[in-house]
Amino acid sequence: MRLKAESVLILILLFSVSTTAFDIQSVRAVTIRVPDDYLTIQEAIDAASPGETIIVSGGFYSEGEIEIYKPLTLIANGEVIVDGELVYLPWDPGQAVFLVTANDVTIKGFTVVNTWSGEAGILLYDVKNGRHVNNCRIEQNMIQHHDFGIFVIGFENVIRENSFSHNMFDVLLGGKRADVSGFNVVEDNLMSSTIGIIVHGNSNHNIIKKNSVLTQAGIILHDGTHDNTILRNVITATGTGIEIAGSNNNTIRRNVISSKNGGIH
């Protein structure tokens, strides 16, 4: 009886070891590397399964309209510059360098530069299907030389610790009245473009906090945006620090504003 018990114990241990090894191999299998496994970021996205991670090695990538249409995590390893300038043509512009059309996407650590007029560095919206994009995290990126740095139409997204410069608008939440954005968090970003943040078109319950904004106009709540929170931002503006137009029930407190044209208007 004792021999049988020992044999059963050995089989259990062997099964546990093999299962653990299988689990480790499975974890390793969900990481795709660019350019080791695929030459371009889009090829890696196309090949990935939902929930996988794509690691992009340092370098210059002349890509635009990179569509992320499944839940994935994209992480830059080193200085990764993604440049849309040579991809787009003036008569055939794209929508963004990164076009996020799926929920639960993370983009972290990239330098995203150069689009034509009217386009974004990172766009969170399914344009073709008119569908909101939700639960994404855009973190620790450098966003430069776009009309819209990050343009969000969706809910419960996090825009955190990014650096913006040379854009027309650094962050835009919401579009037309049907294209609302709500319950998003914009925090700990460094903004030094023309306009810092616009909350637009019935976009409600967003939190904008602890951003450093050095722009012509700081934060604008416009066109029926209600119940948003603007908290502990440091704003230096040549125009208005915080502008509110046609919006109600917003909470604005503990901000530091230096402005030549009025702190809150």
Side-chain angles (χ1 to χ4, degrees):
M1 180 67 74
R2 182 176 178 181
L3 183 58
K4 285 185 178 181
E6 290 176 348
S7 299
V8 170
L9 179 59
I10 291 171
L11 287 172
I12 291 172
L13 290 172
L14 288 172
F15 178 79
S16 299
V17 170
S18 64
T19 302
T20 302
F22 175 79
D23 289 342
I24 292 171
Q25 289 175 357
S26 298
V27 170
R28 290 174 179 169
V30 299
T31 299
I32 295 174
R33 297 188 178 275
V34 178
D36 295 344
D37 300 321
Y38 296 93
L39 290 177
T40 69
I41 299 169
Q42 187 66 69
E43 288 175 348
I45 292 167
D46 295 341
S49 297
E52 292 188 341
T53 297
I54 297 172
I55 306 294
V56 183
S57 295
F60 181 90
Y61 297 82
S62 183
E63 292 189 59
E65 203 80 1
I66 301 170
E67 184 176 0
I68 308 174
Y69 52 92
K70 59 189 85 170
L72 296 170
T73 296
L74 277 69
I75 299 176
N77 181 20
E79 185 179 10
V80 178
I81 300 173
V82 186
D83 189 341
E85 182 176 27
L86 300 179
V87 177
Y88 300 129
L89 300 173
W91 57 88
D92 186 23
Q95 297 163 6
V97 177
F98 284 103
L99 174 58
V100 182
T101 59
N103 299 331
D104 303 301
V105 169
T106 296
I107 301 175
K108 184 174 182 180
F110 292 84
T111 298
V112 184
V113 299
N114 296 332
T115 52
W116 289 92
S117 177
E119 311 307 331
I122 300 175
L123 172 60
L124 275 61
Y125 185 52
D126 187 347
V127 178
K128 293 179 182 177
N129 299 302
R131 188 170 59 201
H132 294 82
V133 170
N134 310 317
N135 302 309
C136 294
R137 303 181 70 89
I138 312 298
E139 300 178 321
Q140 298 177 14
N141 302 284
M142 295 182 64
I143 314 291
Q144 302 172 342
H145 299 286
H146 311 284
D147 267 9
F148 307 103
I150 298 176
F151 191 166
V152 179
I153 298 177
F155 297 89
E156 297 183 344
N157 300 288
V158 176
I159 312 298
R160 176 180 290 138
E161 296 180 355
N162 301 282
S163 176
F164 299 84
S165 64
H166 306 291
N167 305 300
M168 180 61 70
F169 307 96
D170 284 335
V171 174
L172 177 59
L173 302 180
K176 299 177 182 178
R177 286 189 175 273
D179 299 333
V180 300
S181 288
F183 300 94
N184 300 289
V185 177
V186 181
E187 67 174 337
D188 290 316
N189 298 284
L190 175 61
M191 301 177 173
S192 56
S193 299
T194 304
I195 298 175
I197 302 168
I198 292 187
V199 186
H200 181 70
N202 284 341
S203 295
N204 307 321
H205 301 285
N206 298 286
I207 297 174
I208 300 170
K209 66 178 183 178
K210 296 191 292 184
N211 299 284
S212 178
V213 184
L214 177 61
T215 54
Q216 291 182 23
I219 299 171
I220 299 174
L221 305 180
H222 185 260
D223 194 21
T225 58
H226 311 306
D227 301 300
N228 298 286
T229 299
I230 302 176
L231 173 67
R232 296 178 63 188
N233 299 280
V234 178
I235 302 170
T236 303
T238 56
T240 303
I242 298 174
E243 181 176 328
I244 304 170
S247 303
N248 300 311
N249 300 321
N250 295 290
T251 299
I252 301 172
R253 60 190 181 94
R254 299 181 67 185
N255 299 280
V256 178
I257 303 172
S258 175
S259 172
K260 295 183 179 179
N261 195 30
I264 301 174
H265 177 69

